[in-house]
Amino acid sequence: MPDRAKILLVDDREENLIALEAILSSLDIVPVRARSGEEALKALLSTEFALILLDVRMPGMDGFETAAHIKRRERTRNIPIIFLTVVDSAPDYAFRGYAAGAVDYLTKPFDPWVLRAKVSVFVELYTMNRRMTEQAALLRERVVTELPPGETGEQASILPELSRRLTAAEDELGRVRELARKSGDSSLTGPLTDLTERLAHLRAGFDALS
């Protein structure tokens, strides 16, 4: 069974972390807490996360500074960030959030269903990305490494398996696209586009072998 996706929850208030965990408890994820920007950056050194929920207002290193550090690191720059802050925040907070690299920005108190739906789709995208990385590795290993030139019989037995895996990934992408369409969430456009392009490259590589 594949490892469950991990979500980093960053907030200096214990009650907010408890609330986030309760909202996300129905999802098949592993929530990881961080009580400060410094704790978040430390957690990111050793753990792979599908998504970061990041409070803006924190003592010391605030959410914007934390996000800037995350986006500067090669290992973490592509992790989606959703900023969370109170409704009476400065009017330019949303702009600053997007400028810092956030994919979305929610004000508290937010609708639990909306947050849960957003997290669910980003986890789906993360899982698909991970699966496609595995498929690409399989394609390289099984076709490029294991098959010397002229081994057409062995290639013929491998290609149907690869085709089934690619078709399953394409079907799953279609399902995630439909979820995004129904939610009307524009923050998913970029990740979905990237995922579509990666899958298209995989399909093109496979078709060249067929």
Side-chain angles (χ1 to χ4, degrees):
M1 177 181 294
D3 293 337
R4 289 187 295 164
K6 295 179 177 64
I7 307 296
L8 183 58
L9 313 178
V10 190
D11 199 301
D12 63 298
R13 299 173 66 92
E14 179 71 13
E15 62 270 27
N16 290 343
L17 292 171
I18 292 173
L20 285 173
E21 288 179 341
I23 290 170
L24 302 177
S25 61
S26 63
L27 301 180
D28 189 26
I29 62 165
V30 177
V32 177
R33 294 184 178 193
R35 293 287 299 270
S36 67
E38 290 85 356
E39 279 189 27
L41 295 176
K42 185 176 180 180
L44 286 160
L45 289 174
S46 58
T47 305
E48 181 180 348
F49 291 98
L51 179 68
I52 301 169
L53 301 183
L54 179 57
D55 186 41
V56 169
R57 290 183 175 179
M58 295 186 293
M61 185 185 297
D62 66 14
F64 299 125
E65 188 178 354
T66 303
H69 282 289
I70 292 170
K71 293 303 179 182
R72 278 199 292 265
R73 293 178 177 177
E74 179 68 29
R75 186 174 184 272
T76 59
R77 66 177 51 172
N78 293 322
I79 302 175
I81 298 172
I82 296 179
F83 272 126
L84 307 174
T85 194
V86 294
V87 71
D88 64 344
S89 298
D92 68 336
Y93 266 25
F95 174 79
R96 290 179 64 191
Y98 292 122
V103 296
D104 210 345
Y105 184 95
L106 296 178
T107 54
K108 306 172 187 176
F110 41 75
D111 185 330
W113 186 92
V114 170
L115 178 61
R116 193 160 47 240
K118 287 178 180 290
V119 171
S120 178
V121 177
F122 275 108
V123 168
E124 290 269 9
L125 291 171
Y126 167 80
T127 302
M128 282 202 66
N129 259 312
R130 191 164 58 175
R131 187 174 297 121
M132 279 197 287
T133 298
E134 294 169 355
Q135 302 302 339
L138 176 69
L139 188 65
R140 286 193 299 270
E141 180 183 353
R142 298 289 300 274
V143 177
V144 177
T145 305
E146 294 185 6
L147 295 183
E151 295 288 340
T152 54
E154 180 68 16
Q155 181 168 324
S157 67
I158 291 172
L159 290 180
E161 175 191 349
L162 294 175
S163 179
R164 283 192 298 272
R165 288 170 179 259
L166 278 172
T167 300
E170 288 165 341
D171 290 344
E172 189 169 355
L173 178 59
R175 183 172 62 82
V176 175
R177 272 206 197 109
E178 183 63 15
L179 282 173
R181 186 190 66 79
K182 288 180 178 178
S183 72
D185 192 344
S186 60
S187 68
L188 299 170
T189 302
L192 272 172
T193 299
D194 293 342
L195 199 55
T196 301
E197 290 175 353
R198 290 192 64 191
L199 188 53
H201 286 312
L202 272 178
R203 173 57 73 180
F206 173 81
D207 289 344
L209 294 167
S210 302

